[in-house]
Amino acid sequence: MAGADLELVGITKRFPGFTAIENLDLVIPAGSFFALLGPSGCGKTTTLRLVAGLEDPTAGRILIGGKDVTQTKPFQRPVNTVFQSYALFPHMTVLENVAFGLRRRRVSDPIAKAHDALRLVELDHLAARRPQQLSGGQQQRVALARAVVNEPALLLLDEPLGALDLKLRRQMQLELKTIQTEVGLTFVHVTHDQEEAMTMADTVAVMNRGRIEQLGAPEELYELPKTAFVANFLGQSNLFTGEVIESAGDTIAVDVAGSRIVVPKSRAARHSGTVTVGVRPEKLSLLTTRPASTAAQNVIGAGRVIDVSFSGVSTQYIVEIPALGSMIVFAQNMVFGPVVDRGAEVWLSWTVDHGFGLEDLPDATAEQSPDDLQPLHATHTGSAAAGSTKISA
Amino acid sequence: MAITAFTGVATSTDASPRRKKSWVALVLLLPGLLYLVLFFIVPLVSLVITSLQVPSPTAFGQYDTAFNWQTYGVVISTYGTQILRSFLYALLATIFALLFSYPLAYFIGVKVRRYPILQGLMLVLVIAPFFISFLLRTLAWKAILSDDGVVVGGLKALSLMGSQDHLTGTPVAVVFGLTYNFIPFMCLPLYTTLERLDVRYLEASNDLYAGTFETFRKVILPLSLPGIVSGTLLTFIPATGDYVNASSEFLGGASSTMVGNVIQSNFLVQLNYPVAAALSIILMAIILVIVSLYVKRSGTDDLV
């Protein structure tokens, strides 16, 4: 019943004209909920299809529960997939769809087991319907039941929530997580939705250009991103690039266009040369008067608020600071409405401990998250990126 | 016939009472209805009347209106063999055409989907025979299969055929000719359904432990059933009434006469109109029964 380890060893996949995955090594422990997160075209779906056996790797090995399955056909692998399109068989009832895998493996009493699986996703009352008579969310749950019922060593989810509206998606995220805990299978979830990856998975691997940029628990990835891509793809970041001017005790100080920014050594990947440091927008405090400089705080400013957007829980401010570029600030709405208006002169400060130092320098093309993924934030992320490149130039 | 069988469902749903713009639909339907009345109902009634006529005592080839239903009995006892043979040949031709066309249509519709130019080229090859009259094509086959042709010569050289055996004039040649002539009619409907076959279903089936054969049997075949039904109908119905392939001037002979040849001979040679009309009606009735049972059994409404 319990899932099995998945191990990818040196996997490379080339298609005519491009390389989808480059020398990928990955171990997913049994029983975990693992998310592969990345923008479209980063190779995450290809990785999933390789594990399912729907594609053959150009090089490398795939092991499930320690057994090499690289050369086996999809129907020989103890793996089931919940497809992005669900791919429910239109000529069968919901029940027959769910019983399909059981029948193929000659499992005894497939109908009763299929009913059990449908009860798990709370759709047993629709067992006699055809898939096309169900709503998108219901179809998604049937697809899940059809995969889970086989008790595979690995359950692969290929953006299964992509076609659902936001509310339903949130609800399904919770349900999926509950089901994973209940059945105890290893789930590998592919998504481009960073929020989805963070809320559902125990471990998130951020993929970009066929490589894994960073792997870890969601909090770890968010609080301490290692690369500019992760810093900008997983949430948003304010990034600064400059020379390390001081490396004393347990902190380093970076000179960014005249401003001094201090980062703990333990949270910085590199301690000398030109480095990029950053801070998350919600860690910033917006101040209308210049604060007193202390060792525990970084202060930048003065800058001007160029945009204020109210989003209910919080308000997002874009602050243009001369020589540093645009900064994003998220402030909780503790009072009614925004605390400052557009055009106001402000200073930004944050606790030194909240800063992080990256391994790489931002590269204009890599950190842009595709616009279609997060239309609300895309432009702001873009301007922050533009801001940080301006500094490094 | 196939068309009426399929539209029966559509018209019944349109029968919601007192639709405001129903007269527009009526006007648009009028030419079609008129056509059906003039060229289907009227000839059909006339055919039924003809089948019940009795020979005129005064002149050969003249018939008087009567209610001579005995003609039907006479026809069945005289031409029963040819009627049965027609259905057997048509059935065989349909099966062979299906076995030949399915892999071809699957290849064109699914396997070469990524190469549209190749796909188009292969489709043209399937349709290409239509550019030549099928009489000519059947005559060409007669030449190929003739006693001094290359096929018979080759088979004789391999001792697969005795020195006295023929191909033309045998049931083999007739069924072959029917199969050949109807392959495009089988292939095209199959192609249209298979071309729309979503390969993600095949991936899902593979993922759910079904091997190649089981995927074909459980997923591909049921999903292509609409194409199989229309292809087999388009082949079986005309093949049953075909009189060219079985004619002795083409691929047939005395031992392979089909009902179409009998009808033709009665209408045009013997001028025995009642017998010919009765044969036509019997043929039509049997086809109608077979087709409705077939369509009902294959349950295509679920799939479209």
Side-chain angles (χ1 to χ4, degrees):
Chain A
M1 180 80 191
D5 285 4
L6 168 69
E7 203 176 333
L8 302 182
V9 185
I11 290 287
T12 296
K13 174 67 182 172
R14 291 195 188 90
F15 290 107
F18 76 103
T19 303
I21 298 169
E22 188 69 62
N23 199 20
L24 182 77
D25 291 302
L26 182 65
V27 178
I28 298 176
S32 64
F33 198 126
F34 190 92
L36 270 174
L37 174 69
S40 339
C42 73
K44 58 190 191 304
T45 294
T46 308
T47 308
L48 208 67
R49 290 175 60 84
L50 285 167
V51 175
L54 300 170
E55 306 276 357
D56 294 319
T58 315
R61 292 185 305 136
I62 299 165
L63 295 98
I64 296 171
K67 221 178 110 221
D68 192 327
V69 296
T70 321
Q71 298 304 320
T72 59
K73 299 271 176 214
F75 56 88
Q76 296 162 330
R77 298 190 186 189
V79 167
N80 287 113
T81 311
V82 178
F83 292 90
Q84 186 170 16
S85 62
Y86 313 141
L88 298 174
F89 303 123
H91 58 291
M92 295 177 192
T93 61
V94 165
L95 187 69
E96 278 305 318
N97 262 285
V98 178
F100 190 88
L102 299 171
R103 286 196 195 281
R104 300 288 83 75
R105 288 188 308 155
R106 317 249 179 282
V107 171
S108 64
D109 213 357
I111 291 299
K113 290 198 171 80
H115 275 298
D116 285 344
L118 282 171
R119 264 190 289 277
L120 182 71
V121 296
E122 292 169 8
L123 281 180
D124 199 32
H125 58 292
L126 300 178
R129 297 249 184 113
R130 296 276 167 149
Q132 56 271 33
Q133 293 171 301
L134 306 185
S135 71
Q138 291 170 333
Q139 288 186 20
Q140 199 279 331
R141 275 142 72 189
V142 175
L144 181 67
R146 186 175 72 168
V148 168
V149 74
N150 300 298
E151 296 174 10
L154 266 179
L155 188 80
L156 309 178
L157 301 125
D158 184 8
E159 306 211 17
L161 309 178
L164 307 180
D165 63 57
L166 193 68
K167 195 169 167 234
L168 200 55
R169 202 187 308 167
R170 294 280 171 267
Q171 186 192 331
M172 286 307 304
Q173 285 172 4
L174 289 176
E175 280 184 34
L176 262 180
K177 184 75 195 159
T178 316
I179 287 169
Q180 195 261 340
T181 323
E182 252 171 71
V183 297
L185 302 175
T186 311
F187 275 38
V188 182
H189 185 129
V190 154
T191 181
H192 61 240
D193 183 336
Q194 40 111 358
E195 214 174 315
E196 188 171 300
M198 287 198 281
T199 44
M200 295 169 79
D202 315 320
T203 312
V204 176
V206 181
M207 268 191 100
N208 184 33
R209 295 174 175 178
R211 291 173 30 248
I212 290 182
E213 292 260 341
Q214 193 176 351
L215 188 149
E219 311 82 53
E220 195 186 311
L221 289 191
Y222 186 80
E223 297 301 346
L224 196 52
K226 283 216 181 74
T227 66
F229 178 82
V230 176
N232 278 318
F233 191 79
L234 207 68
Q236 301 174 53
S237 296
N238 295 303
L239 299 181
F240 314 91
T241 302
E243 292 291 328
V244 175
I245 46 167
E246 196 186 305
S247 176
D250 49 8
T251 59
I252 54 165
V254 182
D255 171 64
V256 183
S259 303
R260 186 185 134 98
I261 293 171
V262 181
V263 178
K265 268 187 182 168
S266 59
R267 290 175 58 84
R270 294 189 293 138
H271 299 161
S272 61
T274 308
V275 298
T276 297
V277 295
V279 64
R280 294 289 187 184
E282 74 280 3
K283 304 287 194 300
L284 294 179
S285 312
L286 204 60
L287 305 155
T288 48
T289 53
R290 174 178 273 279
S293 232
T294 66
Q297 295 280 324
N298 284 313
V299 175
I300 52 173
R304 211 158 277 286
V305 175
I306 57 168
D307 189 55
V308 178
S309 43
F310 177 75
S311 66
V313 181
S314 64
T315 303
Q316 176 183 268
Y317 303 90
I318 310 266
V319 179
E320 177 76 28
I321 297 177
L324 288 183
S326 305
M327 298 293 132
I328 312 168
V329 181
F330 286 142
Q332 283 264 308
N333 285 325
M334 307 293 274
V335 293
F336 299 113
V339 287
V340 292
D341 290 324
R342 188 179 299 190
E345 192 186 43
V346 292
W347 282 263
L348 302 178
S349 86
W350 68 94
T351 309
V352 166
D353 287 342
H354 286 157
F356 50 80
L358 303 177
E359 274 171 4
D360 60 349
L361 299 176
D363 145 64
T365 53
E367 63 194 30
Q368 300 256 6
S369 60
D371 290 13
D372 57 326
L373 305 183
Q374 291 154 306
L376 264 173
H377 304 299
T379 49
H380 301 314
T381 315
S383 66
S388 40
T389 26
K390 213 186 294 167
I391 304 159
S392 61
Chain B
M1 223 79 59
I3 292 143
T4 47
F6 282 123
T7 47
V9 190
T11 44
S12 64
T13 51
D14 279 11
S16 63
R18 283 178 191 279
R19 251 200 278 130
K20 275 198 175 174
K21 289 193 175 168
S22 63
W23 62 272
V24 177
L26 210 66
V27 168
L28 289 171
L29 268 176
L30 211 58
L33 287 175
L34 256 156
Y35 180 91
L36 272 181
V37 168
L38 267 177
F39 298 106
F40 183 70
I41 308 284
V42 173
L44 190 66
V45 171
S46 130
L47 202 64
V48 173
I49 294 170
T50 309
S51 71
L52 297 170
Q53 284 173 340
V54 289
S56 157
T58 51
F60 175 71
Q62 297 285 315
Y63 294 89
D64 297 331
T65 308
F67 191 70
N68 182 26
W69 53 268
Q70 283 93 335
T71 311
Y72 284 85
V74 173
V75 158
I76 289 172
S77 58
T78 321
Y79 299 114
T81 329
Q82 281 86 346
I83 295 174
L84 275 178
R85 189 185 286 150
S86 297
F87 283 104
L88 180 69
Y89 287 6
L91 184 70
L92 287 173
T94 308
I95 293 169
F96 291 138
L98 181 64
L99 291 179
F100 182 88
S101 303
Y102 201 97
L104 184 66
Y106 188 81
F107 188 75
I108 303 175
V110 181
K111 289 287 169 188
V112 297
R113 209 180 268 180
R114 281 175 298 159
Y115 315 102
I117 295 175
L118 186 62
Q119 195 181 35
L121 201 71
M122 294 189 74
L123 268 184
V124 167
L125 288 179
V126 171
I127 305 167
F130 284 129
F131 292 116
I132 305 167
S133 156
F134 88 106
L135 291 177
L136 276 179
R137 282 184 278 124
T138 315
L139 272 179
W141 274 114
K142 186 184 184 177
I144 296 167
L145 300 175
S146 66
D147 291 348
D148 46 1
V150 61
V151 176
V152 172
L155 287 173
K156 279 183 178 166
L158 291 167
S159 303
L160 289 169
M161 274 176 78
S163 54
Q164 296 305 306
D165 293 342
H166 307 284
L167 265 182
T168 47
T170 62
V172 175
V174 176
V175 173
F176 175 84
L178 286 171
T179 309
Y180 162 77
N181 273 312
F182 287 104
I183 276 175
F185 294 94
M186 181 66 90
C187 208
L188 290 178
L190 281 176
Y191 163 77
T192 28
T193 1
L194 287 169
E195 199 259 329
R196 282 176 300 165
L197 179 74
D198 192 335
V199 289
R200 288 177 295 188
Y201 294 137
L202 314 191
E203 288 186 346
S205 164
N206 254 282
D207 186 67
L208 291 162
Y209 314 107
T212 315
F213 177 70
E214 289 224 285
T215 299
F216 174 73
R217 200 168 62 93
K218 290 288 175 186
V219 179
I220 303 176
L221 202 63
L223 285 176
S224 59
L225 206 56
I228 297 175
V229 170
S230 26
T232 47
L233 289 180
L234 282 177
T235 303
F236 182 77
I237 298 168
T240 313
D242 184 81
Y243 65 93
V244 172
N245 289 285
S247 148
S248 54
E249 288 157 43
F250 289 87
L251 300 169
S255 64
S256 59
T257 319
M258 290 172 71
V259 70
N261 306 92
V262 180
I263 296 173
Q264 184 226 14
S265 141
N266 271 294
F267 252 120
L268 302 176
V269 183
Q270 302 171 37
L271 305 185
N272 195 345
Y273 303 129
V275 165
L279 269 174
S280 302
I281 289 166
I282 291 169
L283 181 65
M284 201 190 292
I286 300 176
I287 291 179
L288 199 63
V289 170
I290 293 177
V291 165
S292 14
L293 285 177
Y294 177 60
V295 170
K296 198 171 173 206
R297 177 92 177 76
S298 55
T300 44
D301 331 337
D302 283 348
L303 286 158
V304 189

